[in-house]
Amino acid sequence: MTALTLSTSAAPGLRADAIVIGVAKGAKGPVVAPGAEAVNEAYDGKLAGVLETLGASGAEGELTKLPAPAGFKAPLVIAVGLGAEPEDRDYPAEALRKAAGVAARALTGAKKAAFALPVEDAAAVGAIAEGVLLGAYSFDTYKDNGKDPKAKNGKAPLAEAALLGGKPRDAAHKAAAARATAVSEELNRARDLINTPPNDLTPAIFAGIAQEAAKEHGIKIQVLDDKALTKGGYGGILGVGGGSAATPRLVKLTYTHAKADKHLAFVGKGITYDSGGISLKPAGHNETMKCDMSGAAAVFAAVVAAARLGLEVNVTGWLALAENMPSGSAVRPGDVLRMYSGKTVEVLNTDAEGRLVLADALWAASAEKPDAIVDVATLTGAMMLALGSRTFGVMANDDAFRSTVHEAAEEVGEPAWPMPLPEHLRKGMDSATADIANMGERMGGGLVAGLFLREFVGEGITWAHLDIAGPAFNEGGPFGYTPKGGTGSAVRTLVRLAELTAAGDLG
């Protein structure tokens, strides 16, 4: 991973492969952003005009390369767009994050780059650091990169980034960089898991990875295998995993702080491969289904990040891990499963399996009476149809908590949108055979799934559901600090919720 340093050095004298500066979109053309004063001065104050001549406008995501001025030890200047220039010149954290990510992606193969982006405060340091670390990510485990195991399509990711304007002796700046490093490293770990082929990430292997991380970071872990799940009566997880030779697991990760008086529970859907089961997915819909464990990856990463940050809150993570495959032992449409809660569920569609494993994990989490539960899942295609590929839906049994989760997501740069749980849709899941069916009305399918999950949340417990089906896996080209493939969606939202809880600010 890219090494980060904070530096008060002047850009001209810094030895690096490139100097990264920001350029904003002004009313009359591009505007050189704060942090690039020394570079602009070296261009006799005419850098904005030079950039405009080269076609730069300052638009978000834009990148322009030009030779460094005479006297600079770096040979290259990279100008990245920050979007519209704010009236107070206080650039939003997400604009800085995206710009840093764009530059980091462009610097593949470089040994060192200096980032001279606007640094108003510690929050800006953290945002730029996150953008660099997330933007430089690559997944090349299965590619032959010759002699360099870290190579990205023949080139290694950016090796070192110096954040100019970041003060190495300032406690707040150091803390912001350290937080960004911990969160980004764990988010990138989630990305690695999501990108790993399903033949190399079965439920048992995922559980083993969690055990190694738990040992490293002082997290208590419990793994229930298929025998323990059978003994415990986890009918949902067993039903989904019964068709695969790779048996299911339920992993419980527990991070505690001696001074904590609040407890959060995170629950993640971990379908390590989803064929749809007997209700088999058609060709064209199953090639990326290794990503159906993105919710569990997010929960895992968030718990480890909370431990690394030493947050004053108790956090429990539940990873409901199974592989959904068709076979003679697979659950069938029409089967009835007895869940861990004791409720019975008529399975009308085996491809609506995520809600079945989550139901058992939600009930297990509820037994500990946490202050709040948040589940994360790539749950429904309906949510993608509603919100697109970059925004996740937020549902909850408490409007104030839903708002808190939504605001936390937006604060850290994860697009989210609050969604309702209309009571009239519950009737569509009535079953003549069981307590509830796993399917309801087709229209509003994402909301129906949320209503199903609500049935398995303990009475009086505040709960939210994040349907990350859209943003969890980027099938298009990279953008900002987001790569192609697994994105690590919801990790930063969960970490922020843990921080808010630790600070006593959880609504």
Side-chain angles (χ1 to χ4, degrees):
M1 189 162 164
T2 303
L4 275 181
T5 57
L6 303 181
S7 175
T8 55
S9 299
L14 198 65
R15 294 188 183 277
D17 295 299
I19 305 292
V20 178
I21 64 170
V23 56
K25 193 171 185 177
K28 297 181 180 180
V31 177
V32 178
E37 290 83 359
V39 180
N40 188 34
E41 185 178 335
Y43 280 96
D44 297 324
K46 299 177 181 179
L47 180 54
V50 172
L51 289 169
E52 187 171 26
T53 300
L54 293 173
S57 67
E60 180 184 297
E62 186 179 77
L63 183 142
T64 306
K65 295 181 180 180
L66 62 162
F72 273 57
K73 292 185 177 180
L76 182 69
V77 171
I78 296 178
V80 284
L82 291 164
E85 181 187 25
E87 291 184 7
D88 57 2
R89 305 203 84 191
D90 184 9
Y91 288 84
E94 184 65 359
L96 298 175
R97 203 178 282 118
K98 287 179 177 178
V102 168
R105 286 194 289 107
L107 284 161
T108 297
K111 291 183 178 179
K112 183 176 181 179
F115 285 74
L117 295 171
V119 175
E120 181 71 23
D121 52 22
V125 171
I128 296 167
E130 274 190 14
V132 170
L133 297 174
L134 298 178
Y137 171 83
S138 67
F139 183 75
D140 297 292
T141 303
Y142 294 87
K143 293 183 179 180
D144 182 4
N145 290 307
K147 297 180 180 179
D148 189 349
K150 297 181 180 179
K152 178 178 181 182
N153 298 323
K155 296 181 180 180
L158 173 63
E160 182 183 350
L163 274 55
L164 304 190
K167 302 172 184 176
R169 296 185 179 180
D170 185 290
H173 284 206
K174 287 170 62 179
R179 179 194 181 277
T181 299
V183 173
S184 298
E185 285 181 351
E186 295 312 319
L187 192 151
N188 284 338
R189 188 208 298 262
R191 288 173 170 176
D192 283 347
L193 289 167
I194 297 163
N195 289 324
T196 299
N199 57 315
D200 281 346
L201 193 71
T202 62
I205 294 173
F206 195 150
I209 292 170
Q211 287 175 313
E212 291 176 5
K215 183 178 180 180
E216 179 183 356
H217 297 289
I219 299 168
K220 184 179 178 182
I221 187 168
Q222 179 184 16
V223 178
L224 300 183
D225 61 13
D226 54 323
K227 292 180 181 179
L229 291 168
T230 300
K231 184 177 180 180
Y234 292 85
I237 298 174
L238 288 166
V240 173
S244 175
T247 54
R249 298 289 188 274
L250 178 61
V251 177
K252 177 186 177 185
L253 294 157
T254 304
Y255 161 69
T256 56
H257 191 286
K259 296 182 179 180
D261 58 5
K262 294 290 184 180
H263 176 199
L264 285 180
F266 298 150
V267 177
K269 172 188 172 183
I271 304 300
T272 56
Y273 181 73
D274 182 19
S275 70
I278 298 298
S279 305
L280 194 66
K281 293 179 184 290
H285 291 78
N286 52 21
E287 291 81 0
T288 60
M289 282 297 102
K290 64 181 181 181
C291 78
D292 214 20
M293 36 58 68
S294 296
V299 167
F300 171 43
V303 175
V304 177
R308 290 181 60 175
L309 295 172
L311 299 182
E312 199 169 309
V313 58
N314 296 330
V315 183
T316 306
W318 299 83
L319 317 181
L321 308 176
E323 190 174 69
N324 187 23
M325 296 290 285
S327 74
S329 60
V331 65
R332 296 155 291 227
D335 282 354
V336 173
L337 302 177
R338 185 170 295 278
M339 312 297 281
Y340 182 57
S341 68
K343 284 186 178 180
T344 55
V345 175
E346 182 181 10
V347 179
L348 298 180
N349 187 328
T350 66
D351 197 23
E353 86 298 329
R355 63 200 70 183
L356 298 175
V357 300
L358 284 173
D360 277 354
L362 283 168
W363 192 256
S366 296
E368 297 189 337
K369 304 293 184 185
D371 293 286
I373 299 175
V374 181
D375 77 68
V376 187
T378 45
L379 206 60
T380 65
M383 197 57 62
M384 294 179 69
L385 290 173
L387 299 178
S389 62
R390 297 191 184 183
T391 304
F392 62 73
V394 183
M395 286 153 268
N397 61 1
D398 179 275
D399 288 348
F401 188 57
R402 182 182 64 186
S403 295
T404 296
V405 174
H406 175 222
E407 290 165 6
E410 294 289 337
E411 180 185 350
V412 298
E414 295 196 307
W417 196 253
M419 301 294 282
L421 290 174
E423 293 298 335
H424 71 274
L425 291 176
R426 170 61 184 85
K427 186 171 178 57
M429 289 184 284
D430 285 349
S431 166
T433 308
D435 295 323
I436 191 172
N438 77 327
M439 293 291 289
E441 293 183 29
R442 181 169 176 268
M443 299 301 174
L447 313 182
V448 170
L451 286 165
F452 179 91
L453 295 178
R454 190 182 66 177
E455 297 280 322
F456 298 89
V457 177
E459 186 176 353
I461 297 176
T462 302
W463 157 80
H465 161 57
L466 313 185
D467 189 337
I468 62 170
F473 196 83
N474 176 26
E475 295 188 60
F479 59 92
Y481 51 87
T482 302
K484 183 178 179 67
T487 65
S489 177
V491 172
R492 289 178 293 145
T493 297
L494 295 181
V495 173
R496 186 62 187 139
L497 287 172
E499 289 175 326
L500 290 170
T501 305
D505 296 331
L506 188 68

PDB file of all heavy atoms in Angstrom, residues 317-344:
ATOM      1  N   GLY A 317     -19.620  -7.715  15.092  1.00  0.00           N
ATOM      2  CA  GLY A 317     -19.866  -7.949  13.673  1.00  0.00           C
ATOM      3  C   GLY A 317     -20.300  -9.379  13.437  1.00  0.00           C
ATOM      4  O   GLY A 317     -19.690 -10.318  13.960  1.00  0.00           O
ATOM      5  N   TRP A 318     -21.364  -9.552  12.680  1.00  0.00           N
ATOM      6  CA  TRP A 318     -21.885 -10.875  12.357  1.00  0.00           C
ATOM      7  C   TRP A 318     -21.763 -11.095  10.855  1.00  0.00           C
ATOM      8  O   TRP A 318     -22.325 -10.332  10.065  1.00  0.00           O
ATOM      9  CB  TRP A 318     -23.353 -10.991  12.771  1.00  0.00           C
ATOM     10  CG  TRP A 318     -23.586 -10.816  14.244  1.00  0.00           C
ATOM     11  CD1 TRP A 318     -23.709  -9.643  14.922  1.00  0.00           C
ATOM     12  CD2 TRP A 318     -23.728 -11.850  15.224  1.00  0.00           C
ATOM     13  NE1 TRP A 318     -23.916  -9.867  16.252  1.00  0.00           N
ATOM     14  CE2 TRP A 318     -23.933 -11.222  16.472  1.00  0.00           C
ATOM     15  CE3 TRP A 318     -23.710 -13.253  15.166  1.00  0.00           C
ATOM     16  CZ2 TRP A 318     -24.126 -11.948  17.645  1.00  0.00           C
ATOM     17  CZ3 TRP A 318     -23.892 -13.970  16.332  1.00  0.00           C
ATOM     18  CH2 TRP A 318     -24.091 -13.330  17.556  1.00  0.00           C
ATOM     19  N   LEU A 319     -21.032 -12.126  10.458  1.00  0.00           N
ATOM     20  CA  LEU A 319     -20.846 -12.456   9.050  1.00  0.00           C
ATOM     21  C   LEU A 319     -21.613 -13.730   8.749  1.00  0.00           C
ATOM     22  O   LEU A 319     -21.251 -14.822   9.219  1.00  0.00           O
ATOM     23  CB  LEU A 319     -19.360 -12.656   8.724  1.00  0.00           C
ATOM     24  CG  LEU A 319     -18.360 -11.659   9.330  1.00  0.00           C
ATOM     25  CD1 LEU A 319     -16.940 -12.005   8.885  1.00  0.00           C
ATOM     26  CD2 LEU A 319     -18.712 -10.237   8.960  1.00  0.00           C
ATOM     27  N   ALA A 320     -22.692 -13.606   7.989  1.00  0.00           N
ATOM     28  CA  ALA A 320     -23.524 -14.763   7.631  1.00  0.00           C
ATOM     29  C   ALA A 320     -23.021 -15.307   6.297  1.00  0.00           C
ATOM     30  O   ALA A 320     -23.347 -14.777   5.238  1.00  0.00           O
ATOM     31  CB  ALA A 320     -24.988 -14.355   7.539  1.00  0.00           C
ATOM     32  N   LEU A 321     -22.217 -16.369   6.344  1.00  0.00           N
ATOM     33  CA  LEU A 321     -21.479 -16.851   5.179  1.00  0.00           C
ATOM     34  C   LEU A 321     -22.063 -18.156   4.642  1.00  0.00           C
ATOM     35  O   LEU A 321     -22.207 -19.132   5.383  1.00  0.00           O
ATOM     36  CB  LEU A 321     -20.010 -17.073   5.551  1.00  0.00           C
ATOM     37  CG  LEU A 321     -19.299 -15.892   6.227  1.00  0.00           C
ATOM     38  CD1 LEU A 321     -17.884 -16.298   6.635  1.00  0.00           C
ATOM     39  CD2 LEU A 321     -19.269 -14.679   5.309  1.00  0.00           C
ATOM     40  N   ALA A 322     -22.363 -18.169   3.358  1.00  0.00           N
ATOM     41  CA  ALA A 322     -22.875 -19.379   2.705  1.00  0.00           C
ATOM     42  C   ALA A 322     -22.654 -19.258   1.209  1.00  0.00           C
ATOM     43  O   ALA A 322     -22.443 -18.167   0.677  1.00  0.00           O
ATOM     44  CB  ALA A 322     -24.364 -19.576   3.004  1.00  0.00           C
ATOM     45  N   GLU A 323     -22.693 -20.407   0.527  1.00  0.00           N
ATOM     46  CA  GLU A 323     -22.639 -20.427  -0.926  1.00  0.00           C
ATOM     47  C   GLU A 323     -23.973 -20.969  -1.422  1.00  0.00           C
ATOM     48  O   GLU A 323     -24.430 -22.015  -0.960  1.00  0.00           O
ATOM     49  CB  GLU A 323     -21.487 -21.326  -1.386  1.00  0.00           C
ATOM     50  CG  GLU A 323     -21.183 -21.225  -2.860  1.00  0.00           C
ATOM     51  CD  GLU A 323     -19.941 -22.006  -3.258  1.00  0.00           C
ATOM     52  OE1 GLU A 323     -19.984 -23.244  -3.209  1.00  0.00           O
ATOM     53  OE2 GLU A 323     -18.931 -21.374  -3.609  1.00  0.00           O
ATOM     54  N   ASN A 324     -24.597 -20.258  -2.335  1.00  0.00           N
ATOM     55  CA  ASN A 324     -25.937 -20.631  -2.816  1.00  0.00           C
ATOM     56  C   ASN A 324     -25.814 -21.383  -4.142  1.00  0.00           C
ATOM     57  O   ASN A 324     -25.618 -20.776  -5.185  1.00  0.00           O
ATOM     58  CB  ASN A 324     -26.795 -19.372  -2.993  1.00  0.00           C
ATOM     59  CG  ASN A 324     -28.242 -19.692  -3.321  1.00  0.00           C
ATOM     60  OD1 ASN A 324     -28.730 -20.781  -3.024  1.00  0.00           O
ATOM     61  ND2 ASN A 324     -28.934 -18.747  -3.929  1.00  0.00           N
ATOM     62  N   MET A 325     -25.934 -22.707  -4.068  1.00  0.00           N
ATOM     63  CA  MET A 325     -25.733 -23.547  -5.241  1.00  0.00           C
ATOM     64  C   MET A 325     -26.903 -24.517  -5.437  1.00  0.00           C
ATOM     65  O   MET A 325     -27.564 -24.918  -4.478  1.00  0.00           O
ATOM     66  CB  MET A 325     -24.437 -24.351  -5.084  1.00  0.00           C
ATOM     67  CG  MET A 325     -23.179 -23.508  -5.022  1.00  0.00           C
ATOM     68  SD  MET A 325     -22.791 -22.753  -6.615  1.00  0.00           S
ATOM     69  CE  MET A 325     -22.173 -24.169  -7.502  1.00  0.00           C
ATOM     70  N   PRO A 326     -27.154 -24.946  -6.688  1.00  0.00           N
ATOM     71  CA  PRO A 326     -28.187 -25.954  -6.944  1.00  0.00           C
ATOM     72  C   PRO A 326     -27.601 -27.361  -6.829  1.00  0.00           C
ATOM     73  O   PRO A 326     -26.492 -27.624  -7.292  1.00  0.00           O
ATOM     74  CB  PRO A 326     -28.590 -25.656  -8.393  1.00  0.00           C
ATOM     75  CG  PRO A 326     -27.341 -25.122  -9.019  1.00  0.00           C
ATOM     76  CD  PRO A 326     -26.585 -24.390  -7.936  1.00  0.00           C
ATOM     77  N   SER A 327     -28.315 -28.229  -6.188  1.00  0.00           N
ATOM     78  CA  SER A 327     -27.896 -29.634  -6.097  1.00  0.00           C
ATOM     79  C   SER A 327     -29.064 -30.423  -5.526  1.00  0.00           C
ATOM     80  O   SER A 327     -30.123 -29.863  -5.209  1.00  0.00           O
ATOM     81  CB  SER A 327     -26.668 -29.786  -5.191  1.00  0.00           C
ATOM     82  OG  SER A 327     -27.023 -29.648  -3.833  1.00  0.00           O
ATOM     83  N   GLY A 328     -28.856 -31.707  -5.353  1.00  0.00           N
ATOM     84  CA  GLY A 328     -29.919 -32.543  -4.792  1.00  0.00           C
ATOM     85  C   GLY A 328     -30.230 -32.221  -3.344  1.00  0.00           C
ATOM     86  O   GLY A 328     -31.302 -32.571  -2.840  1.00  0.00           O
ATOM     87  N   SER A 329     -29.293 -31.526  -2.666  1.00  0.00           N
ATOM     88  CA  SER A 329     -29.521 -31.171  -1.263  1.00  0.00           C
ATOM     89  C   SER A 329     -29.899 -29.710  -1.089  1.00  0.00           C
ATOM     90  O   SER A 329     -30.021 -29.224   0.039  1.00  0.00           O
ATOM     91  CB  SER A 329     -28.261 -31.483  -0.445  1.00  0.00           C
ATOM     92  OG  SER A 329     -27.153 -30.748  -0.935  1.00  0.00           O
ATOM     93  N   ALA A 330     -30.083 -28.998  -2.217  1.00  0.00           N
ATOM     94  CA  ALA A 330     -30.396 -27.570  -2.134  1.00  0.00           C
ATOM     95  C   ALA A 330     -31.838 -27.337  -1.714  1.00  0.00           C
ATOM     96  O   ALA A 330     -32.722 -28.169  -1.958  1.00  0.00           O
ATOM     97  CB  ALA A 330     -30.147 -26.909  -3.492  1.00  0.00           C
ATOM     98  N   VAL A 331     -32.082 -26.210  -1.073  1.00  0.00           N
ATOM     99  CA  VAL A 331     -33.450 -25.831  -0.730  1.00  0.00           C
ATOM    100  C   VAL A 331     -34.232 -25.605  -2.025  1.00  0.00           C
ATOM    101  O   VAL A 331     -33.683 -25.140  -3.035  1.00  0.00           O
ATOM    102  CB  VAL A 331     -33.451 -24.556   0.149  1.00  0.00           C
ATOM    103  CG1 VAL A 331     -32.919 -23.347  -0.600  1.00  0.00           C
ATOM    104  CG2 VAL A 331     -34.831 -24.273   0.711  1.00  0.00           C
ATOM    105  N   ARG A 332     -35.518 -25.987  -2.007  1.00  0.00           N
ATOM    106  CA  ARG A 332     -36.359 -25.892  -3.210  1.00  0.00           C
ATOM    107  C   ARG A 332     -37.435 -24.846  -3.026  1.00  0.00           C
ATOM    108  O   ARG A 332     -37.887 -24.605  -1.910  1.00  0.00           O
ATOM    109  CB  ARG A 332     -37.034 -27.251  -3.467  1.00  0.00           C
ATOM    110  CG  ARG A 332     -36.091 -28.382  -3.775  1.00  0.00           C
ATOM    111  CD  ARG A 332     -36.694 -29.719  -3.415  1.00  0.00           C
ATOM    112  NE  ARG A 332     -36.818 -29.857  -1.974  1.00  0.00           N
ATOM    113  CZ  ARG A 332     -36.437 -30.954  -1.294  1.00  0.00           C
ATOM    114  NH1 ARG A 332     -35.941 -31.981  -1.936  1.00  0.00           N
ATOM    115  NH2 ARG A 332     -36.588 -31.005   0.020  1.00  0.00           N
ATOM    116  N   PRO A 333     -37.912 -24.253  -4.121  1.00  0.00           N
ATOM    117  CA  PRO A 333     -39.102 -23.409  -4.026  1.00  0.00           C
ATOM    118  C   PRO A 333     -40.270 -24.231  -3.485  1.00  0.00           C
ATOM    119  O   PRO A 333     -40.551 -25.318  -3.988  1.00  0.00           O
ATOM    120  CB  PRO A 333     -39.342 -22.968  -5.478  1.00  0.00           C
ATOM    121  CG  PRO A 333     -37.994 -23.043  -6.122  1.00  0.00           C
ATOM    122  CD  PRO A 333     -37.335 -24.235  -5.491  1.00  0.00           C
ATOM    123  N   GLY A 334     -40.894 -23.723  -2.443  1.00  0.00           N
ATOM    124  CA  GLY A 334     -41.958 -24.459  -1.783  1.00  0.00           C
ATOM    125  C   GLY A 334     -41.545 -25.056  -0.457  1.00  0.00           C
ATOM    126  O   GLY A 334     -42.394 -25.418   0.368  1.00  0.00           O
ATOM    127  N   ASP A 335     -40.222 -25.181  -0.220  1.00  0.00           N
ATOM    128  CA  ASP A 335     -39.742 -25.664   1.074  1.00  0.00           C
ATOM    129  C   ASP A 335     -40.062 -24.652   2.169  1.00  0.00           C
ATOM    130  O   ASP A 335     -40.190 -23.456   1.911  1.00  0.00           O
ATOM    131  CB  ASP A 335     -38.230 -25.887   1.051  1.00  0.00           C
ATOM    132  CG  ASP A 335     -37.831 -27.180   0.365  1.00  0.00           C
ATOM    133  OD1 ASP A 335     -38.730 -27.964  -0.001  1.00  0.00           O
ATOM    134  OD2 ASP A 335     -36.615 -27.402   0.198  1.00  0.00           O
ATOM    135  N   VAL A 336     -40.166 -25.146   3.389  1.00  0.00           N
ATOM    136  CA  VAL A 336     -40.363 -24.280   4.553  1.00  0.00           C
ATOM    137  C   VAL A 336     -39.179 -24.453   5.490  1.00  0.00           C
ATOM    138  O   VAL A 336     -38.824 -25.582   5.859  1.00  0.00           O
ATOM    139  CB  VAL A 336     -41.682 -24.602   5.281  1.00  0.00           C
ATOM    140  CG1 VAL A 336     -41.775 -23.806   6.584  1.00  0.00           C
ATOM    141  CG2 VAL A 336     -42.879 -24.285   4.395  1.00  0.00           C
ATOM    142  N   LEU A 337     -38.566 -23.343   5.848  1.00  0.00           N
ATOM    143  CA  LEU A 337     -37.427 -23.348   6.757  1.00  0.00           C
ATOM    144  C   LEU A 337     -37.852 -22.818   8.129  1.00  0.00           C
ATOM    145  O   LEU A 337     -38.605 -21.853   8.213  1.00  0.00           O
ATOM    146  CB  LEU A 337     -36.299 -22.465   6.214  1.00  0.00           C
ATOM    147  CG  LEU A 337     -35.742 -22.796   4.824  1.00  0.00           C
ATOM    148  CD1 LEU A 337     -34.697 -21.757   4.436  1.00  0.00           C
ATOM    149  CD2 LEU A 337     -35.150 -24.188   4.802  1.00  0.00           C
ATOM    150  N   ARG A 338     -37.359 -23.472   9.173  1.00  0.00           N
ATOM    151  CA  ARG A 338     -37.567 -22.945  10.529  1.00  0.00           C
ATOM    152  C   ARG A 338     -36.320 -22.150  10.895  1.00  0.00           C
ATOM    153  O   ARG A 338     -35.232 -22.684  10.991  1.00  0.00           O
ATOM    154  CB  ARG A 338     -37.828 -24.050  11.541  1.00  0.00           C
ATOM    155  CG  ARG A 338     -38.175 -23.496  12.936  1.00  0.00           C
ATOM    156  CD  ARG A 338     -38.670 -24.575  13.872  1.00  0.00           C
ATOM    157  NE  ARG A 338     -39.942 -25.144  13.419  1.00  0.00           N
ATOM    158  CZ  ARG A 338     -41.133 -24.607  13.636  1.00  0.00           C
ATOM    159  NH1 ARG A 338     -41.217 -23.450  14.300  1.00  0.00           N
ATOM    160  NH2 ARG A 338     -42.226 -25.202  13.213  1.00  0.00           N
ATOM    161  N   MET A 339     -36.500 -20.861  11.095  1.00  0.00           N
ATOM    162  CA  MET A 339     -35.387 -19.962  11.314  1.00  0.00           C
ATOM    163  C   MET A 339     -34.887 -20.019  12.753  1.00  0.00           C
ATOM    164  O   MET A 339     -35.529 -20.590  13.638  1.00  0.00           O
ATOM    165  CB  MET A 339     -35.805 -18.531  10.956  1.00  0.00           C
ATOM    166  CG  MET A 339     -36.514 -18.413   9.610  1.00  0.00           C
ATOM    167  SD  MET A 339     -35.486 -18.885   8.213  1.00  0.00           S
ATOM    168  CE  MET A 339     -34.512 -17.402   8.057  1.00  0.00           C
ATOM    169  N   TYR A 340     -33.762 -19.365  12.994  1.00  0.00           N
ATOM    170  CA  TYR A 340     -33.192 -19.319  14.336  1.00  0.00           C
ATOM    171  C   TYR A 340     -34.154 -18.675  15.330  1.00  0.00           C
ATOM    172  O   TYR A 340     -34.177 -19.032  16.515  1.00  0.00           O
ATOM    173  CB  TYR A 340     -31.872 -18.552  14.302  1.00  0.00           C
ATOM    174  CG  TYR A 340     -31.149 -18.480  15.620  1.00  0.00           C
ATOM    175  CD1 TYR A 340     -30.780 -19.633  16.308  1.00  0.00           C
ATOM    176  CD2 TYR A 340     -30.815 -17.240  16.178  1.00  0.00           C
ATOM    177  CE1 TYR A 340     -30.115 -19.558  17.519  1.00  0.00           C
ATOM    178  CE2 TYR A 340     -30.133 -17.156  17.379  1.00  0.00           C
ATOM    179  CZ  TYR A 340     -29.795 -18.314  18.052  1.00  0.00           C
ATOM    180  OH  TYR A 340     -29.128 -18.230  19.257  1.00  0.00           O
ATOM    181  N   SER A 341     -34.981 -17.772  14.856  1.00  0.00           N
ATOM    182  CA  SER A 341     -35.945 -17.094  15.726  1.00  0.00           C
ATOM    183  C   SER A 341     -37.122 -17.988  16.095  1.00  0.00           C
ATOM    184  O   SER A 341     -37.900 -17.663  16.995  1.00  0.00           O
ATOM    185  CB  SER A 341     -36.489 -15.845  15.030  1.00  0.00           C
ATOM    186  OG  SER A 341     -37.293 -16.214  13.919  1.00  0.00           O
ATOM    187  N   GLY A 342     -37.279 -19.104  15.369  1.00  0.00           N
ATOM    188  CA  GLY A 342     -38.428 -19.978  15.572  1.00  0.00           C
ATOM    189  C   GLY A 342     -39.510 -19.776  14.534  1.00  0.00           C
ATOM    190  O   GLY A 342     -40.383 -20.635  14.354  1.00  0.00           O
ATOM    191  N   LYS A 343     -39.481 -18.652  13.829  1.00  0.00           N
ATOM    192  CA  LYS A 343     -40.457 -18.413  12.766  1.00  0.00           C
ATOM    193  C   LYS A 343     -40.192 -19.348  11.591  1.00  0.00           C
ATOM    194  O   LYS A 343     -39.053 -19.748  11.343  1.00  0.00           O
ATOM    195  CB  LYS A 343     -40.377 -16.965  12.274  1.00  0.00           C
ATOM    196  CG  LYS A 343     -41.009 -15.947  13.194  1.00  0.00           C
ATOM    197  CD  LYS A 343     -41.011 -14.565  12.545  1.00  0.00           C
ATOM    198  CE  LYS A 343     -41.686 -13.544  13.456  1.00  0.00           C
ATOM    199  NZ  LYS A 343     -41.706 -12.195  12.851  1.00  0.00           N
ATOM    200  N   THR A 344     -41.267 -19.651  10.863  1.00  0.00           N
ATOM    201  CA  THR A 344     -41.117 -20.457   9.657  1.00  0.00           C
ATOM    202  C   THR A 344     -41.245 -19.572   8.418  1.00  0.00           C
ATOM    203  O   THR A 344     -42.022 -18.618   8.398  1.00  0.00           O
ATOM    204  CB  THR A 344     -42.177 -21.570   9.606  1.00  0.00           C
ATOM    205  OG1 THR A 344     -43.481 -20.989   9.727  1.00  0.00           O
ATOM    206  CG2 THR A 344     -41.948 -22.590  10.718  1.00  0.00           C
TER     207      THR A 344
END
